[in-house]
Amino acid sequence: MASAAHFSEEEMAELREAFSKVDISGNGFIDTNDLTEVLKAANLPLPGYKARELIQSLTTTGNGRISFDEFISIFQDLKSDDVAKSFRKQINKKEGICAIGGTSEQSSAGTQHSYSEEEKYAFVNWINKALEKDPDCKHVVPMNPETDDLFQAVGDGIVLCKMINFSVPDTIDERTINKKKLTPFTIQENLNLALNSASAIGCHVVNIGAEDLKEGKPYLVLGLLWQVIKIGLFADIEISRNEALIALLREGESLEDLMKLSPEDLLLRWANYHLENAGCNKVNNFSSDIKDSRAYYHLLDQVAPKGDEEGIPAITIDMSGLREKDDVQRAECMLQQAERLGCRQFVTATDVVRGNPKLNLAFIANLFNKYPALHKPENQDIDWGSIEGETREERTFRNWMNSLGVNPRVNHLYSDLSDALVIFQLYEKIKVPVDWNRVNKPPYPKLGGNMKKLENCNYAVELGKNQAKFSLVGIAGQDLNEGNRTLTLALIWQLMRRYTLNILEDIGGGEKVNDEIIVSWVNETLTAAGKNSTISSFKDSKISTSMPVLDLIDAIQPGSIKYDLLKTEDLNEEEKLNNAKYAISMARKIGARVYALPEDLVEVKPKMVMTVFACLMGKGMKKV
């Protein structure tokens, strides 16, 4: 990681963004052949001959895959190469990449941020469709995808809040969105609400502030929107939410193996399942392998309704476009067929022919969501009881990790932690130093690979006990490696708790904080504001009404809570949940990054309740 020292924090964030644009599976690696795409995204496109030379040398020396660290090293070498610089403007223009000078305080004067016109076009069309009937968005929707409408439209926060709810329904309580007679202050509140809610659903928003969105900084707006859209597209590409995916099981494979696959891997397998049924060649990616549209044609033909389900008329795909000689024309004919299925979103014919990995992935995910064309196997020997969806607690932990930008992204809490790489990154977030020389990094060998992962897990437990001083009695590396739920959650909770307390200690000038101190601060703040609420602990049954939380928010930001929207006494379960939804969204709106869910307040889950009050305390202390 020494090479990273040559780059500023902002440059590193940009390089990560460029890398992740092509590393769409989020596993921390890209194919050697995709290197030119990443360099292009990082504003360092190469002339053809140079790219071929570089790929040839990497193919002879490497294993066909490049890690982020290797990419940084390659980028460092190329950055000083004059040949690359002379091609920058020419290629950006040709590829539809817009470059804009850095303007933020952190940006050095010469920094250039690039963004993709294709992405802007695709996202505008998706948002227009999603919000076309929403009366609160009439002032900006429909947007013109050909102009910069999008970057102005996100400035008041309403569209972002609505898109978060479109991807993960009920994340934001609509009552908390400021919609009329907006002022700079109420716009700031909307943007706080959007950013903190995006974080709570697992978006990485560490380098994005409300000011960036208000100013409509294109590369940040598109980066955030992609995360929000992708979370929505992937929500049901998961076996516990779509049991028909079991049809994708291969011979000799266990259900557990299938459940470990990321949404990207499941989509690839789904496409190949249908291509195999059509007697076609498989694809290895949704970039270079789909450029000629042939795979897409056969996939559409396989998933289109055949008229054998009641109430769903048949749609026959016209395959004559396959005879088109021109790639772009063939892609356009294919997209006209996709449109008949209502699935033309995200790509233009040019995006298909160029093999844009991000937009083609979105196109496929949308097609899967509308026409999976899979049937739950009836006679296979499958333990249906083992297909459990994740618990609320597991989802909260997973979203918290992803919001911190861990790499690879955590899709499945236990299997994705089995090599402890994510845990090491979380240790660094809580200021526990990790000796990366002791860490085994992927790709792991086929023989003895699990032993390498186990060594990592042993080191992770050792760090927890000796450096972090966690209580890890009875927890061994093997428990993390095998995904023991109770013991893995015990470690994750201590990581999240320490992270939360660290933020408080930083605000309070290093003063140590514990549960008693938080409870005392909550009660003192409530009393000073003339509120009647108090709490005895994070298990206090009064918390189930959310009134102590709501009163505390109103004490921190007087007049923010609209008490006429709430019921305060003799609440039934529905009324309690109604108050809790309002409380969680209001906490985020005044600037507290709360990960807990409304149900955690209603059921008085002490761990999550503690994080809510701790985040509010952090917000309150900042105001003093």
Side-chain angles (χ1 to χ4, degrees):
M1 295 212 172
S3 53
H6 297 291
F7 299 103
S8 70
E9 201 173 312
E10 187 171 6
E11 282 179 312
M12 282 300 288
E14 280 194 48
L15 291 172
R16 276 194 189 283
E17 167 73 11
F19 191 82
S20 64
K21 278 182 180 177
V22 177
D23 173 27
I24 49 176
S25 65
N27 67 1
F29 290 90
I30 58 167
D31 288 339
T32 307
N33 291 330
D34 289 329
L35 179 63
T36 44
E37 289 294 325
V38 187
L39 289 169
K40 204 182 293 169
N43 232 0
L44 195 61
L46 288 188
Y49 77 90
K50 188 92 179 163
R52 283 191 293 277
E53 280 174 16
L54 184 59
I55 288 168
Q56 211 166 351
S57 72
L58 288 167
T59 309
T60 40
T61 57
N63 59 1
R65 302 209 302 169
I66 299 169
S67 70
F68 179 67
D69 286 349
E70 288 166 329
F71 162 63
I72 289 289
S73 166
I74 294 164
F75 186 86
Q76 180 66 34
D77 293 341
L78 289 170
K79 204 177 176 196
S80 55
D81 192 327
D82 291 333
V83 181
K85 289 175 191 166
S86 66
F87 276 81
R88 179 178 295 184
K89 285 182 184 165
Q90 186 184 334
I91 295 188
N92 276 352
K93 195 172 168 189
K94 183 179 162 199
E95 293 292 339
I97 292 173
C98 294
I100 51 174
T103 51
S104 70
E105 284 174 31
Q106 291 91 355
S107 297
S108 54
T111 308
Q112 279 210 322
H113 301 295
S114 62
Y115 73 91
S116 151
E117 280 285 341
E118 293 92 344
E119 282 176 29
K120 182 188 77 174
Y121 192 90
F123 298 168
V124 166
N125 286 330
W126 182 249
I127 294 168
N128 282 345
K129 189 99 178 71
L131 304 181
E132 65 184 346
K133 293 189 171 75
D134 192 318
D136 299 324
C137 297
K138 278 200 165 62
H139 62 302
V140 287
V141 172
M143 295 172 270
N144 181 349
E146 304 285 357
T147 68
D148 286 348
D149 279 4
L150 172 66
F151 306 126
Q152 273 78 57
V154 297
D156 65 12
I158 296 174
V159 164
L160 283 171
C161 288
K162 296 286 187 172
M163 286 309 295
I164 288 166
N165 274 351
F166 183 74
S167 282
V168 184
D170 251 6
T171 299
I172 296 174
D173 187 325
E174 285 270 346
R175 295 172 293 177
T176 62
I177 305 173
N178 299 320
K179 298 170 183 175
K180 293 188 173 75
K181 295 181 182 167
L182 295 176
T183 66
F185 177 72
T186 56
I187 285 171
Q188 178 80 21
E189 285 188 320
N190 279 350
L191 294 168
N192 286 343
L193 178 58
L195 283 170
N196 289 326
S197 301
S199 191
I201 63 169
C203 295
H204 178 43
V205 298
V206 171
N207 296 316
I208 308 173
E211 281 306 312
D212 297 316
L213 298 177
K214 213 180 285 184
E215 290 169 24
K217 288 187 180 167
Y219 72 106
L220 290 174
V221 169
L222 293 175
L224 177 59
L225 278 173
W226 169 238
Q227 292 185 76
V228 171
I229 290 169
K230 186 176 171 187
I231 285 167
L233 286 172
F234 283 6
D236 290 332
I237 306 173
E238 210 258 304
I239 291 172
S240 65
R241 297 180 71 156
N242 194 335
E243 289 182 352
L245 282 164
I246 291 173
L248 305 180
L249 259 177
R250 289 180 181 155
E251 203 149 329
E253 189 175 50
S254 71
L255 185 56
E256 197 181 345
D257 294 328
L258 191 66
M259 290 177 77
K260 284 179 184 173
L261 294 182
S262 68
E264 290 92 338
D265 289 337
L266 279 172
L267 282 174
L268 195 57
R269 186 174 290 200
W270 170 74
N272 282 326
Y273 169 86
H274 285 302
L275 289 173
E276 220 172 310
N277 288 342
C280 298
N281 293 335
K282 289 185 175 184
V283 294
N284 297 310
N285 55 56
F286 296 126
S287 49
S288 53
D289 285 8
I290 51 81
K291 289 180 174 186
D292 64 5
S293 300
R294 296 183 191 282
Y296 278 171
Y297 253 118
H298 293 292
L299 182 56
L300 291 173
D301 190 45
Q302 285 293 306
V303 303
K306 304 291 183 280
D308 48 9
E309 284 185 56
E310 202 177 323
I312 303 174
I315 299 174
T316 307
I317 298 297
D318 178 359
M319 306 288 278
S320 62
L322 277 170
R323 294 196 290 274
E324 282 288 345
K325 295 279 189 290
D326 180 70
D327 281 351
V328 176
Q329 198 49 48
R330 192 183 316 112
E332 179 53 41
C333 293
M334 178 276 295
L335 287 173
Q336 285 169 13
Q337 297 308 305
E339 189 161 16
R340 295 178 57 224
L341 296 175
C343 295
R344 189 180 173 139
Q345 292 279 11
F346 291 112
V347 288
T348 63
T350 312
D351 297 328
V352 175
V353 174
R354 281 190 185 153
N356 183 313
K358 188 183 284 187
L359 298 181
N360 280 285
L361 177 69
F363 170 74
I364 284 288
N366 187 42
L367 182 64
F368 170 87
N369 287 329
K370 290 195 175 175
Y371 296 99
L374 294 173
H375 297 287
K376 186 173 160 182
E378 295 298 331
N379 48 8
Q380 279 187 348
D381 185 21
I382 288 166
D383 176 11
W384 297 100
S386 68
I387 305 171
E388 291 176 69
E390 62 184 349
T391 64
R392 278 202 322 269
E393 185 182 35
E394 288 164 353
R395 186 163 83 244
T396 302
F397 285 147
R398 191 170 58 78
N399 286 341
W400 166 66
M401 293 173 189
N402 287 329
S403 76
L404 296 179
V406 295
N407 190 19
R409 186 176 176 83
V410 180
N411 293 302
H412 307 295
L413 197 58
Y414 304 104
S415 58
D416 290 356
L417 300 186
S418 65
D419 65 357
L421 280 188
V422 166
I423 293 171
F424 293 132
Q425 292 168 62
L426 295 173
Y427 276 132
E428 290 199 322
K429 301 282 184 195
I430 62 163
K431 303 172 193 168
V432 170
V434 175
D435 177 0
W436 286 96
N437 293 323
R438 283 190 60 182
V439 176
N440 300 311
K441 300 175 188 73
Y444 302 105
K446 282 205 171 146
L447 271 176
N450 202 49
M451 185 53 71
K452 297 281 184 199
K453 294 180 182 181
L454 186 56
E455 286 170 6
N456 283 357
C457 292
N458 288 335
Y459 178 40
V461 172
E462 180 191 315
L463 276 177
K465 286 177 177 171
N466 301 339
Q467 301 293 320
K469 303 288 187 249
F470 286 164
S471 166
L472 298 177
V473 180
I475 300 181
Q478 189 176 351
D479 298 312
L480 299 181
N481 180 248
E482 292 173 357
N484 178 304
R485 289 189 167 210
T486 308
L487 300 179
T488 303
L489 289 176
L491 171 60
I492 298 171
W493 162 241
Q494 290 181 77
L495 283 161
M496 187 179 190
R497 177 184 164 79
R498 179 71 55 84
Y499 177 81
T500 308
L501 294 179
N502 277 1
I503 292 171
L504 274 182
E505 286 162 14
D506 287 347
I507 296 167
E511 289 284 317
K512 287 287 171 211
V513 181
N514 58 28
D515 288 10
E516 290 73 34
I517 290 170
I518 299 171
V519 170
S520 294
W521 182 88
V522 168
N523 288 329
E524 284 162 20
T525 307
L526 287 167
T527 305
K531 305 289 185 187
N532 295 325
S533 300
T534 56
I535 59 168
S536 55
S537 72
F538 300 132
K539 295 177 180 173
D540 193 323
S541 61
K542 293 196 291 291
I543 294 167
S544 73
T545 66
S546 296
M547 288 316 296
V549 179
L550 291 157
D551 283 343
L552 183 61
I553 293 167
D554 203 64
I556 294 167
Q557 193 167 304
S560 59
I561 297 298
K562 296 186 176 72
Y563 285 96
D564 58 332
L565 297 175
L566 307 166
K567 187 162 181 208
T568 54
E569 289 173 6
D570 303 325
L571 284 74
N572 61 30
E573 289 306 302
E574 192 183 332
E575 289 161 342
K576 285 180 180 177
L577 187 60
N578 206 28
N579 280 4
K581 286 178 180 177
Y582 185 66
I584 294 289
S585 283
M586 281 306 300
R588 292 170 183 159
K589 182 176 175 176
I590 68 162
R593 186 147 288 176
V594 170
Y595 291 92
L597 297 166
E599 292 82 356
D600 297 324
L601 292 181
V602 175
E603 295 168 23
V604 195
K605 298 285 186 190
K607 291 175 183 173
M608 290 301 145
V609 166
M610 172 264 172
T611 65
V612 173
F613 283 116
C615 290
L616 286 169
M617 180 176 171
K619 182 64 193 164
M621 285 166 65
K622 270 186 183 170
K623 287 182 77 79
V624 175

